[in-house]
Amino acid sequence: MSDDAERARWAPLLPHAPVHFPRDFAWGVASSAFQSEGGDVANDWVDAARAGRVPPNPGNGFWQRAEDDLQLVAGLGFGHYRLSVEWSRVEPERGRFDEAAIDRYRAICDAATAAGVTPWVNLFHFTHPRWFAARGGFLETANHADFLRYVERVGRALAKHARHFHVANESMVYVLTGYMMGVVPPFVKDSASAFAMTRHVLTLHADAYRILKSQQPQPTVATIEVYLDPRPEDPNDAQQRAAAERFDAWYHGVLLEALATGWVRVPTREPEEIPHLRGALDLYGFNYYNSTSFGAGGAGSWSDRDDPPVDRMHRKVHPGGLEAGLVRVANALPGVPLLVTENGVPTTDETFRSRYVAAHLAALDRARQSGAPVRGYFHWTAVDNYEWTFGFGPERFGLVAFDPATQQRSVKESGRWFAEVIRGGIVDPARIP
Ligand code: FCB
């Protein structure tokens, strides 16, 4: 496709006037333990890879090179780094905690701080220890105490090394893909299980929030959920409209109501009040990639344009979903500050990546102008990493590439562009490639 045609696709999505960000706006990058560390850990994804159900994950070397990576992101101007703890590393067997692994996470947090980067620690990002998966994971309520013991143990170990925690990344995506669609571990495809899991992950969030908040010094604890912005492909089609609304009511509606009121109303289950879920967040972590369509052929991605840019995962670029979602969450949870905890794009085209970020920063700014208290933007991700069922393919989200043979890092063009945005606190239309 010609450069001009591609430019025309982007034109309506990009800002036409400079977009300014306040001095104290938090610029960060986000990552997860398993996606960057990889390796032969005793978790359910390693087992699924051995069974040939997902790609293998050698990692990008972060476990060994975290200190260098943190210096690198600090050098680009980022002041925050979201990482996660791989549960199977710190508790490889039930009840046996590996002090050396815990020490390594302490050292990583300290290296961040030393580089001038604030660490944000997430405790669950899709992977389970093998032993926990074998016992039936979160679906068995008898296992919940195992997770809470891990939260308590790691929270206490890191309390003096990190001030910001997340209990889980995208619990609803975990339930959707692992229990409703059955496309990732534990590969369950059963709506009754998915609805039970919805209730369980919410309860676990409330319990873990309470545990983390009891630590000294007391951390800030945030949720993280990805906004999927469900839309009917054809707004005049009643069935499609109903499908999008049904999905939205479960996927977004249950979580937002539960956090606001403590009431968990999951389809097919009795409403249940979990009082300590009400307000169990100091900050709402908002992830966003694209809007979701419900059409005749099932679910896909959605845009309000006929010919939008399309990413390497065939998803239509629609920054309006980020704006609408931030405003919606701000209205649903008044008084709760918001942080974009993930946004980014799978591509090997660095012009595409910079434009994608510019368009989404402009949408974020519009949400701020409408009153959504958005405190920062964390980009997914710094160094290219394992993209779950896509492995290490062309679906690359990093601002930094690495050579698998030498682990050598190299900043991409989009990384240099982003550093300039941070330096000036401005997205300048004249500087967008
Ligand atoms: C998010 C996940 C994250 C990463 C990005 C691309 O939904 O939280 O682990 O894979 O997508």
Side-chain angles (χ1 to χ4, degrees):
M1 165 196 330
S2 81
D3 208 31
D4 285 353
E6 187 60 7
R7 198 171 278 280
R9 263 188 196 99
W10 280 100
L13 307 181
L14 292 171
H16 297 290
V19 183
H20 294 272
F21 291 88
R23 278 251 148 263
D24 62 353
F25 191 75
W27 297 103
V29 279
S31 68
S32 86
F34 186 61
Q35 287 176 277
S36 44
E37 297 165 6
D40 190 19
V41 288
N43 79 16
D44 51 350
W45 275 75
V46 169
D47 288 345
R50 285 201 185 120
R53 303 185 81 173
V54 300
N57 179 12
N60 67 15
F62 179 76
W63 186 241
Q64 295 79 16
R65 305 180 56 113
E67 285 78 0
D68 293 345
D69 284 354
L70 288 158
Q71 291 283 351
L72 186 70
V73 304
L76 293 176
F78 290 99
H80 300 265
Y81 194 95
R82 207 190 116 199
L83 61 130
S84 74
V85 172
E86 171 60 31
W87 183 4
S88 68
R89 279 192 195 271
V90 307
E91 193 180 359
E93 289 162 40
R94 184 163 185 251
R96 181 175 74 75
F97 284 88
D98 182 331
E99 290 304 324
I102 295 177
D103 277 347
R104 180 69 188 130
Y105 284 115
R106 274 198 198 99
I108 292 174
C109 291
D110 290 349
T113 307
V117 173
T118 303
W120 292 67
V121 180
N122 173 33
L123 296 170
F124 172 62
H125 198 125
F126 300 161
T127 59
H128 282 323
R130 180 176 295 143
W131 60 263
F132 188 72
R135 295 170 70 88
F138 292 140
L139 200 50
E140 298 297 328
T141 46
N143 295 338
H144 290 185
D146 284 326
F147 178 67
L148 297 174
R149 181 186 55 217
Y150 154 76
V151 168
E152 197 280 328
R153 185 75 181 68
V154 173
R156 185 154 40 86
L158 298 184
K160 295 204 166 62
H161 305 264
R163 299 285 305 113
H164 305 285
F165 284 83
H166 306 283
V167 177
N169 175 71
E170 300 181 357
S171 325
M172 288 302 288
V173 164
Y174 171 68
V175 172
L176 172 68
T177 55
Y179 288 86
M180 184 76 92
M181 299 165 68
V183 292
V184 298
F187 301 106
V188 175
K189 200 173 171 180
D190 171 41
S191 56
S193 300
F195 292 148
M197 281 291 294
T198 308
R199 178 259 170 213
H200 297 337
V201 294
L202 287 168
T203 311
L204 284 164
H205 172 80
D207 293 348
Y209 179 83
R210 187 143 75 179
I211 290 170
L212 291 167
K213 292 298 281 187
S214 71
Q215 280 150 12
Q216 292 306 326
Q218 201 178 77
T220 61
V221 184
T223 52
I224 302 179
E225 201 51 74
V226 68
Y227 196 67
L228 293 181
D229 196 30
R231 314 271 192 142
E233 187 69 58
D234 173 0
N236 297 317
D237 183 307
Q239 250 177 2
Q240 293 179 16
R241 258 198 338 260
E245 276 162 21
R246 212 170 30 245
F247 181 82
D248 186 79
W250 167 59
Y251 182 92
H252 291 304
V254 172
L255 173 78
L256 291 174
E257 184 187 356
L259 289 171
T261 68
W263 277 96
V264 178
R265 290 181 215 278
V266 180
T268 74
R269 293 175 65 94
E270 280 294 304
E272 186 181 346
E273 188 179 17
I274 302 173
H276 62 301
L277 192 49
R278 185 180 317 120
L281 74 170
D282 302 319
L283 193 91
Y284 187 100
F286 182 98
N287 295 354
Y288 180 78
Y289 291 89
N290 61 280
S291 297
T292 309
S293 71
F294 285 78
S301 65
W302 187 89
S303 159
D304 53 0
R305 312 200 61 81
D306 290 338
D307 192 20
V310 174
D311 73 20
R312 225 23 215 262
M313 287 182 181
H314 312 292
R315 305 188 300 202
K316 297 172 183 168
V317 175
H318 181 241
L322 179 119
E323 178 186 353
L326 286 169
V327 170
R328 174 176 175 189
V329 174
N331 289 334
L333 300 171
V336 177
L338 309 182
L339 180 68
V340 172
T341 33
E342 282 181 31
N343 175 245
V345 67
T347 184
T348 49
D349 174 344
E350 295 314 299
T351 300
F352 196 107
R353 193 184 319 282
S354 300
R355 288 176 180 170
Y356 180 94
V357 173
H360 286 78
L361 287 175
L364 185 158
D365 180 61
R366 290 195 297 273
R368 280 168 55 86
Q369 305 306 328
S370 311
V374 190
R375 304 286 189 246
Y377 173 95
F378 288 15
H379 186 74
W380 184 277
T381 188
V383 182
D384 282 334
N385 64 21
Y386 176 76
E387 182 43 36
W388 305 113
T389 53
F390 295 88
F392 280 92
E395 301 79 8
R396 300 202 191 135
F397 284 86
L399 299 170
V400 178
F402 79 102
D403 176 341
T406 62
Q407 308 272 314
Q408 193 65 41
R409 273 55 175 150
S410 50
V411 177
K412 302 181 192 177
E413 216 181 283
S414 58
R416 286 189 286 275
W417 172 81
F418 207 145
E420 191 186 299
V421 169
I422 298 174
R423 234 181 351 259
I426 184 175
V427 176
D428 177 353
R431 306 285 302 162
I432 302 169

